[in-house]
mmCIF file of all heavy atoms in Angstrom:
data_model
loop_
_atom_site.group_PDB
_atom_site.id
_atom_site.type_symbol
_atom_site.label_atom_id
_atom_site.label_comp_id
_atom_site.label_asym_id
_atom_site.label_seq_id
_atom_site.Cartn_x
_atom_site.Cartn_y
_atom_site.Cartn_z
ATOM 1 N N ARG A 1 0.048 29.868 -6.566
ATOM 2 C CA ARG A 1 0.609 28.554 -6.403
ATOM 3 C C ARG A 1 1.756 28.621 -5.391
ATOM 4 O O ARG A 1 2.557 29.574 -5.416
ATOM 5 C CB ARG A 1 1.145 27.981 -7.714
ATOM 6 C CG ARG A 1 0.105 27.741 -8.805
ATOM 7 C CD ARG A 1 0.772 27.064 -10.007
ATOM 8 N NE ARG A 1 -0.164 26.863 -11.109
ATOM 9 C CZ ARG A 1 -0.334 27.733 -12.066
ATOM 10 N NH1 ARG A 1 0.350 28.891 -12.094
ATOM 11 N NH2 ARG A 1 -1.196 27.501 -13.069
ATOM 12 N N LEU A 2 1.905 27.571 -4.631
ATOM 13 C CA LEU A 2 3.106 27.368 -3.793
ATOM 14 C C LEU A 2 4.059 26.477 -4.540
ATOM 15 O O LEU A 2 3.657 25.728 -5.439
ATOM 16 C CB LEU A 2 2.726 26.725 -2.438
ATOM 17 C CG LEU A 2 1.791 27.538 -1.541
ATOM 18 C CD1 LEU A 2 1.570 26.741 -0.248
ATOM 19 C CD2 LEU A 2 2.420 28.896 -1.191
ATOM 20 N N ALA A 3 5.339 26.527 -4.208
ATOM 21 C CA ALA A 3 6.335 25.669 -4.804
ATOM 22 C C ALA A 3 5.928 24.226 -4.552
ATOM 23 O O ALA A 3 5.740 23.801 -3.424
ATOM 24 C CB ALA A 3 7.706 25.936 -4.222
ATOM 25 N N PRO A 4 5.801 23.382 -5.608
ATOM 26 C CA PRO A 4 5.156 22.028 -5.461
ATOM 27 C C PRO A 4 6.149 20.942 -5.084
ATOM 28 O O PRO A 4 5.717 19.823 -4.811
ATOM 29 C CB PRO A 4 4.609 21.817 -6.859
ATOM 30 C CG PRO A 4 5.582 22.495 -7.783
ATOM 31 C CD PRO A 4 6.015 23.710 -7.011
ATOM 32 N N GLU A 5 7.477 21.218 -5.010
ATOM 33 C CA GLU A 5 8.450 20.088 -4.862
ATOM 34 C C GLU A 5 8.190 19.297 -3.557
ATOM 35 O O GLU A 5 8.129 18.031 -3.619
ATOM 36 C CB GLU A 5 9.864 20.634 -4.855
ATOM 37 C CG GLU A 5 10.356 21.198 -6.202
ATOM 38 C CD GLU A 5 9.850 22.602 -6.427
ATOM 39 O OE1 GLU A 5 9.251 23.200 -5.511
ATOM 40 O OE2 GLU A 5 10.018 23.125 -7.555
ATOM 41 N N ASP A 6 8.074 19.969 -2.429
ATOM 42 C CA ASP A 6 7.907 19.243 -1.145
ATOM 43 C C ASP A 6 6.638 18.401 -1.190
ATOM 44 O O ASP A 6 6.589 17.263 -0.692
ATOM 45 C CB ASP A 6 7.858 20.238 -0.002
ATOM 46 C CG ASP A 6 9.217 20.909 0.198
ATOM 47 O OD1 ASP A 6 10.204 20.366 -0.334
ATOM 48 O OD2 ASP A 6 9.275 21.929 0.922
ATOM 49 N N PHE A 7 5.553 18.970 -1.747
ATOM 50 C CA PHE A 7 4.294 18.248 -1.748
ATOM 51 C C PHE A 7 4.337 17.062 -2.688
ATOM 52 O O PHE A 7 3.765 16.010 -2.368
ATOM 53 C CB PHE A 7 3.192 19.224 -2.141
ATOM 54 C CG PHE A 7 3.099 20.474 -1.287
ATOM 55 C CD1 PHE A 7 3.588 21.661 -1.738
ATOM 56 C CD2 PHE A 7 2.539 20.411 -0.013
ATOM 57 C CE1 PHE A 7 3.534 22.780 -0.938
ATOM 58 C CE2 PHE A 7 2.474 21.519 0.813
ATOM 59 C CZ PHE A 7 2.991 22.752 0.367
ATOM 60 N N SER A 8 5.031 17.172 -3.795
ATOM 61 C CA SER A 8 5.141 16.050 -4.729
ATOM 62 C C SER A 8 5.941 14.926 -4.103
ATOM 63 O O SER A 8 5.632 13.739 -4.268
ATOM 64 C CB SER A 8 5.810 16.501 -6.029
ATOM 65 O OG SER A 8 5.055 17.525 -6.674
ATOM 66 N N LEU A 9 7.010 15.252 -3.342
ATOM 67 C CA LEU A 9 7.794 14.197 -2.667
ATOM 68 C C LEU A 9 6.946 13.464 -1.620
ATOM 69 O O LEU A 9 7.096 12.252 -1.446
ATOM 70 C CB LEU A 9 9.021 14.846 -2.058
ATOM 71 C CG LEU A 9 10.106 15.334 -3.023
ATOM 72 C CD1 LEU A 9 11.221 16.034 -2.267
ATOM 73 C CD2 LEU A 9 10.682 14.132 -3.792
ATOM 74 N N ARG A 10 6.148 14.218 -0.903
ATOM 75 C CA ARG A 10 5.285 13.558 0.079
ATOM 76 C C ARG A 10 4.280 12.640 -0.560
ATOM 77 O O ARG A 10 3.997 11.526 -0.018
ATOM 78 C CB ARG A 10 4.561 14.592 0.936
ATOM 79 C CG ARG A 10 5.411 15.417 1.828
ATOM 80 C CD ARG A 10 4.653 16.598 2.389
ATOM 81 N NE ARG A 10 5.584 17.539 3.097
ATOM 82 C CZ ARG A 10 5.245 18.752 3.395
ATOM 83 N NH1 ARG A 10 4.020 19.199 3.172
ATOM 84 N NH2 ARG A 10 6.114 19.531 4.031
ATOM 85 N N VAL A 11 3.806 12.966 -1.723
ATOM 86 C CA VAL A 11 2.891 12.032 -2.453
ATOM 87 C C VAL A 11 3.634 10.793 -2.874
ATOM 88 O O VAL A 11 3.096 9.682 -2.723
ATOM 89 C CB VAL A 11 2.293 12.791 -3.664
ATOM 90 C CG1 VAL A 11 1.556 11.804 -4.545
ATOM 91 C CG2 VAL A 11 1.413 13.917 -3.275
ATOM 92 N N ALA A 12 4.850 10.951 -3.392
ATOM 93 C CA ALA A 12 5.613 9.787 -3.799
ATOM 94 C C ALA A 12 5.943 8.861 -2.573
ATOM 95 O O ALA A 12 5.896 7.619 -2.717
ATOM 96 C CB ALA A 12 6.939 10.243 -4.496
ATOM 97 N N GLN A 13 6.292 9.481 -1.498
ATOM 98 C CA GLN A 13 6.595 8.687 -0.309
ATOM 99 C C GLN A 13 5.356 7.903 0.170
ATOM 100 O O GLN A 13 5.427 6.709 0.499
ATOM 101 C CB GLN A 13 7.067 9.597 0.819
ATOM 102 C CG GLN A 13 7.475 8.890 2.068
ATOM 103 C CD GLN A 13 7.888 9.866 3.178
ATOM 104 O OE1 GLN A 13 7.497 11.013 3.193
ATOM 105 N NE2 GLN A 13 8.737 9.423 4.083
ATOM 106 N N ALA A 14 4.222 8.567 0.199
ATOM 107 C CA ALA A 14 2.969 7.913 0.624
ATOM 108 C C ALA A 14 2.576 6.848 -0.352
ATOM 109 O O ALA A 14 2.081 5.741 0.014
ATOM 110 C CB ALA A 14 1.876 8.944 0.745
ATOM 111 N N GLN A 15 2.865 7.022 -1.647
ATOM 112 C CA GLN A 15 2.537 6.022 -2.654
ATOM 113 C C GLN A 15 3.373 4.767 -2.399
ATOM 114 O O GLN A 15 2.911 3.601 -2.497
ATOM 115 C CB GLN A 15 2.808 6.591 -4.012
ATOM 116 C CG GLN A 15 2.435 5.635 -5.172
ATOM 117 C CD GLN A 15 0.950 5.401 -5.333
ATOM 118 O OE1 GLN A 15 0.177 6.386 -5.337
ATOM 119 N NE2 GLN A 15 0.531 4.184 -5.380
ATOM 120 N N SER A 16 4.676 4.920 -2.090
ATOM 121 C CA SER A 16 5.552 3.771 -1.836
ATOM 122 C C SER A 16 5.091 2.959 -0.626
ATOM 123 O O SER A 16 5.065 1.735 -0.679
ATOM 124 C CB SER A 16 6.969 4.262 -1.636
ATOM 125 O OG SER A 16 7.456 4.915 -2.782
ATOM 126 N N THR A 17 4.755 3.633 0.441
ATOM 127 C CA THR A 17 4.376 2.916 1.641
ATOM 128 C C THR A 17 3.001 2.184 1.393
ATOM 129 O O THR A 17 2.761 1.121 1.968
ATOM 130 C CB THR A 17 4.218 3.857 2.840
ATOM 131 O OG1 THR A 17 3.343 4.971 2.500
ATOM 132 C CG2 THR A 17 5.543 4.443 3.211
ATOM 133 N N LEU A 18 2.181 2.706 0.579
ATOM 134 C CA LEU A 18 0.922 2.083 0.262
ATOM 135 C C LEU A 18 1.183 0.805 -0.504
ATOM 136 O O LEU A 18 0.517 -0.241 -0.273
ATOM 137 C CB LEU A 18 0.005 3.042 -0.535
ATOM 138 C CG LEU A 18 -1.308 2.436 -1.046
ATOM 139 C CD1 LEU A 18 -2.165 2.043 0.139
ATOM 140 C CD2 LEU A 18 -2.077 3.384 -1.945
ATOM 141 N N VAL A 19 2.083 0.850 -1.492
ATOM 142 C CA VAL A 19 2.442 -0.338 -2.264
ATOM 143 C C VAL A 19 2.962 -1.435 -1.369
ATOM 144 O O VAL A 19 2.603 -2.658 -1.491
ATOM 145 C CB VAL A 19 3.433 -0.006 -3.359
ATOM 146 C CG1 VAL A 19 3.980 -1.260 -4.022
ATOM 147 C CG2 VAL A 19 2.791 0.917 -4.410
ATOM 148 N N GLN A 20 3.764 -1.098 -0.373
ATOM 149 C CA GLN A 20 4.299 -2.036 0.580
ATOM 150 C C GLN A 20 3.167 -2.678 1.388
ATOM 151 O O GLN A 20 3.140 -3.873 1.604
ATOM 152 C CB GLN A 20 5.309 -1.417 1.535
ATOM 153 C CG GLN A 20 6.587 -0.920 0.837
ATOM 154 C CD GLN A 20 7.464 -0.196 1.779
ATOM 155 O OE1 GLN A 20 7.169 -0.005 2.969
ATOM 156 N NE2 GLN A 20 8.639 0.316 1.295
ATOM 157 N N ALA A 21 2.226 -1.867 1.839
ATOM 158 C CA ALA A 21 1.139 -2.389 2.626
ATOM 159 C C ALA A 21 0.241 -3.299 1.832
ATOM 160 O O ALA A 21 -0.221 -4.358 2.338
ATOM 161 C CB ALA A 21 0.296 -1.220 3.197
ATOM 162 N N ARG A 22 0.063 -3.008 0.533
ATOM 163 C CA ARG A 22 -0.732 -3.910 -0.318
ATOM 164 C C ARG A 22 -0.003 -5.234 -0.531
ATOM 165 O O ARG A 22 -0.632 -6.289 -0.543
ATOM 166 C CB ARG A 22 -1.027 -3.210 -1.634
ATOM 167 C CG ARG A 22 -1.983 -2.027 -1.533
ATOM 168 C CD ARG A 22 -2.148 -1.328 -2.888
ATOM 169 N NE ARG A 22 -2.706 -2.246 -3.875
ATOM 170 C CZ ARG A 22 -4.022 -2.401 -4.019
ATOM 171 N NH1 ARG A 22 -4.877 -1.820 -3.244
ATOM 172 N NH2 ARG A 22 -4.459 -3.256 -4.937
ATOM 173 N N ALA A 23 1.296 -5.152 -0.684
ATOM 174 C CA ALA A 23 2.047 -6.370 -0.944
ATOM 175 C C ALA A 23 1.980 -7.300 0.276
ATOM 176 O O ALA A 23 1.946 -8.525 0.079
ATOM 177 C CB ALA A 23 3.524 -6.025 -1.256
ATOM 178 N N ARG A 24 2.011 -6.763 1.485
ATOM 179 C CA ARG A 24 1.988 -7.605 2.690
ATOM 180 C C ARG A 24 0.627 -8.330 2.814
ATOM 181 O O ARG A 24 0.531 -9.278 3.626
ATOM 182 C CB ARG A 24 2.272 -6.742 3.906
ATOM 183 C CG ARG A 24 3.684 -6.136 3.864
ATOM 184 C CD ARG A 24 4.013 -5.514 5.155
ATOM 185 N NE ARG A 24 4.179 -6.536 6.209
ATOM 186 C CZ ARG A 24 4.453 -6.237 7.462
ATOM 187 N NH1 ARG A 24 4.603 -4.950 7.816
ATOM 188 N NH2 ARG A 24 4.641 -7.200 8.363
ATOM 189 N N LEU A 25 -0.344 -7.812 2.099
ATOM 190 C CA LEU A 25 -1.691 -8.492 2.129
ATOM 191 C C LEU A 25 -1.900 -9.325 0.866
ATOM 192 O O LEU A 25 -2.989 -9.849 0.646
ATOM 193 C CB LEU A 25 -2.786 -7.429 2.225
ATOM 194 C CG LEU A 25 -3.004 -6.826 3.630
ATOM 195 C CD1 LEU A 25 -4.022 -5.677 3.543
ATOM 196 C CD2 LEU A 25 -3.523 -7.922 4.573
ATOM 197 N N GLY A 26 -0.869 -9.388 0.048
ATOM 198 C CA GLY A 26 -0.974 -10.173 -1.170
ATOM 199 C C GLY A 26 -1.755 -9.503 -2.271
ATOM 200 O O GLY A 26 -2.281 -10.195 -3.189
ATOM 201 N N LEU A 27 -1.798 -8.201 -2.250
ATOM 202 C CA LEU A 27 -2.530 -7.429 -3.269
ATOM 203 C C LEU A 27 -1.553 -6.860 -4.281
ATOM 204 O O LEU A 27 -0.409 -6.552 -3.923
ATOM 205 C CB LEU A 27 -3.349 -6.301 -2.648
ATOM 206 C CG LEU A 27 -4.502 -6.700 -1.699
ATOM 207 C CD1 LEU A 27 -5.097 -5.476 -1.058
ATOM 208 C CD2 LEU A 27 -5.537 -7.494 -2.402
ATOM 209 N N PRO A 28 -2.012 -6.638 -5.526
ATOM 210 C CA PRO A 28 -1.099 -6.063 -6.523
ATOM 211 C C PRO A 28 -0.836 -4.568 -6.188
ATOM 212 O O PRO A 28 -1.531 -3.982 -5.351
ATOM 213 C CB PRO A 28 -1.886 -6.190 -7.810
ATOM 214 C CG PRO A 28 -3.320 -6.275 -7.401
ATOM 215 C CD PRO A 28 -3.317 -6.997 -6.094
ATOM 216 N N ALA A 29 0.162 -4.000 -6.836
ATOM 217 C CA ALA A 29 0.551 -2.580 -6.519
ATOM 218 C C ALA A 29 -0.515 -1.610 -6.808
ATOM 219 O O ALA A 29 -0.709 -0.609 -6.091
ATOM 220 C CB ALA A 29 1.809 -2.220 -7.292
ATOM 221 N N GLU A 30 -1.327 -1.859 -7.832
ATOM 222 C CA GLU A 30 -2.421 -0.976 -8.217
ATOM 223 C C GLU A 30 -3.730 -1.712 -8.111
ATOM 224 O O GLU A 30 -3.809 -2.915 -8.331
ATOM 225 C CB GLU A 30 -2.261 -0.489 -9.657
ATOM 226 C CG GLU A 30 -0.946 0.305 -9.913
ATOM 227 C CD GLU A 30 -0.985 1.639 -9.208
ATOM 228 O OE1 GLU A 30 -2.080 2.129 -8.905
ATOM 229 O OE2 GLU A 30 0.125 2.190 -8.979
ATOM 230 N N GLY A 31 -4.773 -0.938 -7.749
ATOM 231 C CA GLY A 31 -6.105 -1.566 -7.662
ATOM 232 C C GLY A 31 -6.806 -1.036 -6.411
ATOM 233 O O GLY A 31 -6.233 -0.266 -5.605
ATOM 234 N N PRO A 32 -8.056 -1.436 -6.266
ATOM 235 C CA PRO A 32 -8.844 -0.970 -5.121
ATOM 236 C C PRO A 32 -8.359 -1.656 -3.857
ATOM 237 O O PRO A 32 -7.835 -2.763 -3.828
ATOM 238 C CB PRO A 32 -10.262 -1.378 -5.466
ATOM 239 C CG PRO A 32 -10.111 -2.565 -6.405
ATOM 240 C CD PRO A 32 -8.856 -2.306 -7.169
ATOM 241 N N ASP A 33 -8.568 -0.943 -2.732
ATOM 242 C CA ASP A 33 -8.231 -1.478 -1.398
ATOM 243 C C ASP A 33 -9.346 -2.361 -0.923
ATOM 244 O O ASP A 33 -10.144 -1.889 -0.084
ATOM 245 C CB ASP A 33 -7.864 -0.374 -0.479
ATOM 246 C CG ASP A 33 -6.645 0.413 -0.908
ATOM 247 O OD1 ASP A 33 -5.830 -0.129 -1.678
ATOM 248 O OD2 ASP A 33 -6.545 1.615 -0.509
ATOM 249 N N VAL A 34 -9.421 -3.579 -1.341
ATOM 250 C CA VAL A 34 -10.518 -4.493 -0.929
ATOM 251 C C VAL A 34 -10.229 -4.999 0.470
ATOM 252 O O VAL A 34 -9.075 -5.041 0.944
ATOM 253 C CB VAL A 34 -10.680 -5.630 -1.936
ATOM 254 C CG1 VAL A 34 -11.086 -5.097 -3.309
ATOM 255 C CG2 VAL A 34 -9.392 -6.454 -2.005
ATOM 256 N N LEU A 35 -11.275 -5.485 1.120
ATOM 257 C CA LEU A 35 -11.131 -6.069 2.454
ATOM 258 C C LEU A 35 -10.689 -7.543 2.249
ATOM 259 O O LEU A 35 -11.410 -8.329 1.635
ATOM 260 C CB LEU A 35 -12.458 -5.999 3.188
ATOM 261 C CG LEU A 35 -12.437 -6.546 4.636
ATOM 262 C CD1 LEU A 35 -11.481 -5.738 5.523
ATOM 263 C CD2 LEU A 35 -13.834 -6.528 5.211
ATOM 264 N N VAL A 36 -9.501 -7.878 2.722
ATOM 265 C CA VAL A 36 -8.912 -9.175 2.477
ATOM 266 C C VAL A 36 -9.290 -10.148 3.575
ATOM 267 O O VAL A 36 -9.238 -9.812 4.768
ATOM 268 C CB VAL A 36 -7.380 -9.082 2.390
ATOM 269 C CG1 VAL A 36 -6.748 -10.435 2.171
ATOM 270 C CG2 VAL A 36 -6.984 -8.123 1.264
ATOM 271 N N ASP A 37 -9.740 -11.394 3.202
ATOM 272 C CA ASP A 37 -9.999 -12.427 4.184
ATOM 273 C C ASP A 37 -8.706 -12.886 4.769
ATOM 274 O O ASP A 37 -7.825 -13.332 4.048
ATOM 275 C CB ASP A 37 -10.743 -13.614 3.477
ATOM 276 C CG ASP A 37 -11.152 -14.674 4.460
ATOM 277 O OD1 ASP A 37 -10.869 -14.550 5.675
ATOM 278 O OD2 ASP A 37 -11.709 -15.679 4.024
ATOM 279 N N PRO A 38 -8.513 -12.831 6.081
ATOM 280 C CA PRO A 38 -7.196 -13.190 6.685
ATOM 281 C C PRO A 38 -6.786 -14.617 6.332
ATOM 282 O O PRO A 38 -5.559 -14.888 6.226
ATOM 283 C CB PRO A 38 -7.458 -13.052 8.193
ATOM 284 C CG PRO A 38 -8.609 -12.059 8.297
ATOM 285 C CD PRO A 38 -9.444 -12.288 7.099
ATOM 286 N N SER A 39 -7.711 -15.545 6.165
ATOM 287 C CA SER A 39 -7.368 -16.925 5.876
ATOM 288 C C SER A 39 -6.699 -17.112 4.550
ATOM 289 O O SER A 39 -6.119 -18.159 4.238
ATOM 290 C CB SER A 39 -8.615 -17.829 6.031
ATOM 291 O OG SER A 39 -9.566 -17.497 5.028
ATOM 292 N N THR A 40 -6.823 -16.102 3.644
ATOM 293 C CA THR A 40 -6.182 -16.236 2.312
ATOM 294 C C THR A 40 -4.796 -15.684 2.268
ATOM 295 O O THR A 40 -4.148 -15.793 1.263
ATOM 296 C CB THR A 40 -7.076 -15.442 1.328
ATOM 297 O OG1 THR A 40 -7.117 -14.054 1.688
ATOM 298 C CG2 THR A 40 -8.495 -16.006 1.277
ATOM 299 N N THR A 41 -4.363 -15.044 3.366
ATOM 300 C CA THR A 41 -3.007 -14.494 3.351
ATOM 301 C C THR A 41 -2.009 -15.627 3.608
ATOM 302 O O THR A 41 -2.243 -16.620 4.282
ATOM 303 C CB THR A 41 -2.859 -13.423 4.423
ATOM 304 O OG1 THR A 41 -3.094 -13.987 5.719
ATOM 305 C CG2 THR A 41 -3.860 -12.321 4.150
ATOM 306 N N SER A 42 -0.776 -15.472 3.077
ATOM 307 C CA SER A 42 0.260 -16.467 3.171
ATOM 308 C C SER A 42 0.698 -16.742 4.612
ATOM 309 O O SER A 42 0.858 -17.938 4.994
ATOM 310 C CB SER A 42 1.480 -16.115 2.344
ATOM 311 O OG SER A 42 1.987 -14.822 2.710
ATOM 312 N N PRO A 43 0.855 -15.748 5.523
ATOM 313 C CA PRO A 43 1.225 -16.084 6.906
ATOM 314 C C PRO A 43 0.187 -16.899 7.590
ATOM 315 O O PRO A 43 0.498 -17.865 8.333
ATOM 316 C CB PRO A 43 1.396 -14.689 7.546
ATOM 317 C CG PRO A 43 1.703 -13.749 6.447
ATOM 318 C CD PRO A 43 0.900 -14.275 5.291
ATOM 319 N N VAL A 44 -1.075 -16.652 7.337
ATOM 320 C CA VAL A 44 -2.142 -17.412 7.978
ATOM 321 C C VAL A 44 -2.215 -18.835 7.430
ATOM 322 O O VAL A 44 -2.415 -19.801 8.165
ATOM 323 C CB VAL A 44 -3.508 -16.687 7.798
ATOM 324 C CG1 VAL A 44 -4.671 -17.571 8.371
ATOM 325 C CG2 VAL A 44 -3.483 -15.350 8.555
ATOM 326 N N ARG A 45 -2.028 -18.951 6.114
ATOM 327 C CA ARG A 45 -2.037 -20.293 5.541
ATOM 328 C C ARG A 45 -0.889 -21.126 6.076
ATOM 329 O O ARG A 45 -1.031 -22.345 6.333
ATOM 330 C CB ARG A 45 -1.982 -20.228 4.006
ATOM 331 C CG ARG A 45 -3.227 -19.636 3.369
ATOM 332 C CD ARG A 45 -3.318 -19.999 1.880
ATOM 333 N NE ARG A 45 -2.120 -19.628 1.189
ATOM 334 C CZ ARG A 45 -1.923 -18.480 0.529
ATOM 335 N NH1 ARG A 45 -2.870 -17.566 0.598
ATOM 336 N NH2 ARG A 45 -0.763 -18.253 -0.105
ATOM 337 N N GLN A 46 0.274 -20.483 6.207
ATOM 338 C CA GLN A 46 1.455 -21.231 6.758
ATOM 339 C C GLN A 46 1.205 -21.617 8.225
ATOM 340 O O GLN A 46 1.470 -22.818 8.612
ATOM 341 C CB GLN A 46 2.713 -20.316 6.721
ATOM 342 C CG GLN A 46 3.922 -20.994 7.190
ATOM 343 C CD GLN A 46 5.167 -20.085 7.115
ATOM 344 O OE1 GLN A 46 5.032 -18.914 6.670
ATOM 345 N NE2 GLN A 46 6.317 -20.572 7.508
ATOM 346 N N ALA A 47 0.611 -20.660 9.011
ATOM 347 C CA ALA A 47 0.355 -21.000 10.438
ATOM 348 C C ALA A 47 -0.712 -22.054 10.548
ATOM 349 O O ALA A 47 -0.654 -22.949 11.412
ATOM 350 C CB ALA A 47 -0.058 -19.730 11.162
ATOM 351 N N GLN A 48 -1.648 -22.031 9.646
ATOM 352 C CA GLN A 48 -2.723 -23.097 9.653
ATOM 353 C C GLN A 48 -2.150 -24.429 9.326
ATOM 354 O O GLN A 48 -2.575 -25.474 9.912
ATOM 355 C CB GLN A 48 -3.818 -22.688 8.639
ATOM 356 C CG GLN A 48 -5.026 -23.572 8.722
ATOM 357 C CD GLN A 48 -6.114 -23.108 7.768
ATOM 358 O OE1 GLN A 48 -5.892 -22.264 6.868
ATOM 359 N NE2 GLN A 48 -7.329 -23.646 7.965
#
């Protein structure tokens, strides 16, 4: 085994950025990465 600290931190960092990306599409923090219809997102609805 290699020392796991650095690798665990990278996983946590990647997990946080993923949650942010899901939130910007209006998706919950957990769940499958479904293909979102752009017309259902809040920026598109506002622009429309």
Side-chain angles (χ1 to χ4, degrees):
R1 296 184 183 90
L2 297 179
E5 292 80 8
D6 292 345
F7 304 102
S8 299
L9 289 174
R10 291 171 191 164
V11 171
Q13 183 182 27
Q15 183 70 49
S16 298
T17 56
L18 176 64
V19 171
Q20 292 175 1
R22 291 177 61 85
R24 297 190 69 182
L25 282 171
L27 296 175
E30 300 292 337
D33 296 338
V34 296
L35 184 62
V36 177
D37 184 359
S39 62
T40 63
T41 62
S42 57
V44 173
R45 291 200 307 269
Q46 181 181 0
Q48 187 176 14

